C-alpha cells in the first residue's frame, strides 16, 4: 500500500481548523440558547479562556493509570473520528486518511471515547461517576442504535462502505442528497443525533443540575481541558459524518462551516424547546420512535 | 471518632480476613504544598488573565446568602456574560463563596470541599456573618471570623448583600487575580498548621484526615 506522508500534516491542519471552529461554534450555540432565555450569554471566546485556565491550574491529582487514559481515549475517539472521514469532498488536502470501508471504523470511533471515559471515571472511585457512566452508556447505546440502522440502510442503498463514495453519489444537486433519496434513514439518524449530542432534552447524563455531572465528576485541571477540547471536536466530527452521509458532504470550508452549523442548530432548536428526559424515558423514546424508523428504512431499501 | 473510621479487621466475601484502616486506606495524607507560579512571568500573566475571566464557582451555599447567588443565573443579572459559571463539583471549581453564617457542622464540609479544589483557588466571604459573625455573633455553634479557618480573598459586606454587590465583588476579585494576588491556596499551605489548629478548636468531632485531597 502506498501511503502518502504529506497527508499527515494536512490532517493536522484539519484538526486545527476544526478545533477552533468548534470552540467558536459551541460558544455561539450557547449564546443562542442564552438569548432564547433572554440572557446575554457567555462571551464568544469564553471556551478558549476556560481551556487556558484549566491547563494553567497548578495542581492536579490522579487516581491511577486508567484515570489518565480516560480523557486521552476520549480525545483520540474524537480526533480519530475526524481523521478517518473526508471533511471536504474532492479536496486532496482535506480528505484526511479516509479509505474504503471507513464507515465501519467511524462507527467504532463514535463509541470508543465513551468506553474509555467509562473506564477512567470508574477508576476515580467516585460513586456519582459510576452512576453517571451507567446512565450515560445506556443512553448512548440506545441512541446509537437508530444511527447504526440508518447507516446500514445508507450503505445498502449505495452499495458501498466508503464515506467518500457515498458523498460522491450525492453530488448531483440537492435532490440527490440522501435526505431526499432515503428520508426514512435520515429521520432515524437525526433523532439519534439528538441523543448523542449531549444537549437537552437528552443531556441528563452530564447536566450540572443532576447527579453531579456524571462521568467527569472527578476530572479537573488538564484532564478537564483535554475533555473540553474533545467536547468541541467530537460534535463537529460527528456532524461531518452526518453531513457526508445524508446532506451531500461539503466541497469547500465555507460550505462545511455552514452545513455543520445548521445541523448543530437542529439539536439546539430541539434543546431549547423541550425539557430534559430522564434516562429511562429517553431510552423508551428512542425505542418507540427512532428504532422503528431505522428498521423501516432498511426494509424499504 | 466514629466506629466505622476505626482500624479493624474485615471479612471479605470470599472469606479472607484483612485489616482496614479507613483514614489511611481511603485518603491520602500528604499535606498541601506551596505551588510556585509559572516560571516565566508572561505565562503567569496569561494564566492569571484566563483565571480572572473564567471563574467557576462551587455551587455550595451555606447561609441565607445562598439565595442571592441564584438570581445571578437569571436574565436579570446574568453573571455568565462575565465568564462566571457554576460547577457542581469542587474538583472543577476555582471560587468558593461562603454565603453567610457557617455553623461548625457546615464548616467541616466547607473545609473538605475547599481542600478538594485545585490550586489557584479563591474564597469570597459573603455577608457580615463571615466577617464578624453578623447577627449570629453570640451564637453557640457558628463561627465568627471566616478568615481564621479558610484564606479569604474578598469580603462582600451586607446583610444580605444584593446580587449587584456580588457582581461588583466578582469584578474586584478579577482585579485581585489579574494582579497575581489571589494566592489563597498557597497561603493555606504555608500556614497549614495554624489553620488546622483553628479548625480543630471549633470542630470537636474531628473524624476526617487532616487534609482531604
Ligand atoms: S449576613 Fe445576614 S443574610 Fe447573610 S447569612 Fe448572615 S444573617 Fe443571613
Amino acid at each position: 500500500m502506498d501511503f502518502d506522508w504529506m497527508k499527515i500534516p494536512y490532517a493536522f491542519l484539519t484538526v486545527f481548523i476544526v478545533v477552533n471552529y468548534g470552540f467558536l461554534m459551541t460558544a455561539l450555540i450557547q449564546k443562542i440558547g442564552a438569548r432564547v432565555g433572554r440572557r446575554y450569554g457567555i462571551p464568544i471566546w469564553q471556551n478558549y479562556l476556560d481551556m487556558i485556565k484549566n491547563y494553567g491550574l497548578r495542581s492536579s491529582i490522579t487516581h491511577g493509570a486508567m484515570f489518565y487514559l480516560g480523557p486521552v481515549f476520549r480525545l483520540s475517539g474524537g480526533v480519530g473520528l475526524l481523521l478517518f472521514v473526508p471533511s471536504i469532498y474532492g479536496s486532496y488536502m482535506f480528505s484526511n486518511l479516509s479509505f474504503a470501508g471507513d464507515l465501519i471504523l467511524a462507527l467504532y470511533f463514535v463509541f470508543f471515547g465513551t468506553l474509555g471515559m467509562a473506564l477512567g471515571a470508574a477508576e476515580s472511585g467516585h460513586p456519582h461517576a459510576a452512576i453517571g457512566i451507567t446512565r450515560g452508556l445506556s443512553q448512548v447505546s440506545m441512541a446509537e442504535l437508530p444511527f447504526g440502522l440508518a447507516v446500514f440502510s445508507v450503505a445498502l442503498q449505495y452499495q458501498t462502505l466508503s464515506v467518500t463514495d457515498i458523498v460522491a453519489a450525492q453530488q448531483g444537486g440537492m435532490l440527490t442528497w440522501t435526505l431526499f433519496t432515503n428520508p426514512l434513514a435520515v429521520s432515524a439518524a437525526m433523532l439519534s443525533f439528538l441523543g448523542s449530542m449531549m444537549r437537552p432534552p437528552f443531556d441528563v447524563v452530564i447536566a450540572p443540575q443532576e447527579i453531579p455531572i456524571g462521568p467527569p465528576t472527578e476530572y479537573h485541571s488538564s484532564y478537564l481541558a483535554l475533555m473540553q477540547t474533545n467536547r468541541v471536536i467530537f460534535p463537529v466530527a460527528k456532524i461531518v459524518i452526518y453531513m457526508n452521509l445524508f446532506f451531500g458532504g461539503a466541497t469547500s470550508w465555507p460550505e462545511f462551516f455552514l452545513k455543520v452549523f445548521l445541523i448543530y442548530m437542529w439539536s439546539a432548536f430541539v434543546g431549547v424547546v423541550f425539557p430534559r428526559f430522564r434516562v429511562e424515558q429517553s431510552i423508551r423514546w428512542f425505542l418507540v420512535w427512532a428504532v422503528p424508523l431505522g428498521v423501516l428504512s432498511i426494509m424499504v431499501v | 471518632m466514629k466506629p466505622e473510621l476505626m482500624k479493624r479487621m474485615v471479612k471479605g466475601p470470599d472469606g479472607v480476613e484483612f485489616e482496614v484502616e479507613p483514614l489511611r486506606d481511603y485518603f491520602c495524607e500528604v499535606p498541601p504544598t506551596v505551588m510556585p507560579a509559572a516560571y516565566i512571568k508572561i505565562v503567569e500573566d496569561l494564566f492569571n488573565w484566563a483565571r480572572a475571566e473564567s471563574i467557576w464557582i462551587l455551587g455550595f451555599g451555606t447561609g441565607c446568602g445562598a439565595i442571592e447567588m441564584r438570581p445571578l443565573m437569571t436574565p436579570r443579572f446574568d453573571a455568565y456574560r462575565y465568564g462566571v459559571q457554576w460547577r457542581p463539583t469542587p474538583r472543577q471549581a476555582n471560587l468558593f463563596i461562603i454565603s453567610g453564617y457557617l455553623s461548625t457542622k457546615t464548616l467541616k464540609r466547607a473545609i473538605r470541599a475547599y481542600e478538594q479544589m485545585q490550586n489557584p483557588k479563591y474564597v469570597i466571604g459573603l455577608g457580615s456573618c463571615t466577617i464578624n459573625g453578623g447577627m449570629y455573633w453570640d451564637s453557640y455553634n457558628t463561627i465568627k471570623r471566616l478568615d481564621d479557618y479558610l484564606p479569604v480573598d474578598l469580603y462582600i459586606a451586607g446583610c444580605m448583600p444584593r446580587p449587584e454587590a456580588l457582581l461588583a465583588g466578582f469584578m474586584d476579585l478579577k482585579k485581585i487575580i489579574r494582579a497575581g494576588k489571589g494566592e489563597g491556596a498557597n497561603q493555606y499551605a504555608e500556614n497549614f498548621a495554624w489553620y488546622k489548629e483553628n479548625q480543630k478548636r471549633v470542630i470537636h468531632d474531628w473524624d476526617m484526615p487532616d487534609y482531604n485531597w
Side-chain angles (χ1 to χ4, degrees), chain B residues 63-65 99-101 126-129 135-136 158-161:
Chain B
C64 342
S99 49
Y101 63 84
L126 177 67
S128 37
C129 279
M135 65 183 259
Y136 294 96
C159 177
M160 46 185 38

Side-chain angles (χ1 to χ4, degrees), chain B residues 146-164:
Chain B
L146 179 59
D147 213 13
D148 287 344
Y149 309 96
L150 293 174
V152 181
D153 289 287
L154 186 84
Y155 284 111
I156 301 174
C159 177
M160 46 185 38
R162 293 271 306 149
E164 287 95 333

Side-chain angles (χ1 to χ4, degrees), chain A residues 37-41 43 46 49-50 52-54 56 58-61 208 213 216-220 224 228, chain B residues 35-36 44 49-51 53-54 56 73 75 78 80-81 83 85 88-89 91-92 94 118-120 183 186 213:
Chain A
R38 286 194 156 194
R39 285 190 294 112
Y40 186 75
Q46 183 69 45
L49 291 170
D50 287 349
I52 298 179
K53 182 207 61 187
N54 275 332
R58 293 189 198 131
S59 63
S60 56
I61 51 174
I213 63 169
T217 310
E218 279 287 309
Y219 282 96
H220 52 268
L224 190 64
Q228 279 180 316
Chain B
M35 307 242 173
E44 183 66 13
W49 170 72
R51 284 167 195 151
E53 295 302 321
S54 135
W56 289 4
M73 305 180 199
D78 187 25
Y80 289 98
R81 68 201 144 128
Q85 296 177 38
T89 130
R91 291 276 189 234
Q92 298 169 5
N94 312 110
Q118 298 304 317
N119 196 316
E183 293 291 353
N186 283 345
W213 280 89

Side-chain angles (χ1 to χ4, degrees), chain B residues 3-4 6-22 25-26:
Chain B
E4 68 262 29
M6 301 283 204
K7 192 165 151 181
R8 62 183 188 275
M9 296 300 283
V10 180
K11 196 165 178 189
D14 47 358
V16 186
E17 286 220 351
F18 58 93
E19 196 185 66
V20 175
E21 196 183 349
D25 296 354
Y26 302 149

Side-chain angles (χ1 to χ4, degrees), chain B residues 119-193:
Chain B
N119 196 316
K121 47 191 171 186
Y122 319 104
V123 177
I124 285 188
L126 177 67
S128 37
C129 279
T130 54
I131 303 176
N132 57 7
M135 65 183 259
Y136 294 96
W137 64 275
D138 59 350
S139 162
Y140 59 94
N141 69 343
T142 60
I143 59 158
K144 311 285 176 284
R145 276 191 57 197
L146 179 59
D147 213 13
D148 287 344
Y149 309 96
L150 293 174
V152 181
D153 289 287
L154 186 84
Y155 284 111
I156 301 174
C159 177
M160 46 185 38
R162 293 271 306 149
E164 287 95 333
L166 253 169
L167 281 183
F170 290 147
M171 295 303 127
D172 285 345
L173 182 69
K174 283 187 181 185
K175 284 186 205 134
I176 294 177
I177 299 174
R178 207 172 296 173
K181 293 196 190 121
E183 293 291 353
N186 283 345
Q187 201 182 322
Y188 190 69
E190 265 168 31
N191 308 319
F192 190 59

Side-chain angles (χ1 to χ4, degrees), chain A residues 30-41:
Chain A
Q30 275 204 37
K31 231 175 149 56
I32 292 173
R35 285 289 161 86
V36 175
R38 286 194 156 194
R39 285 190 294 112
Y40 186 75

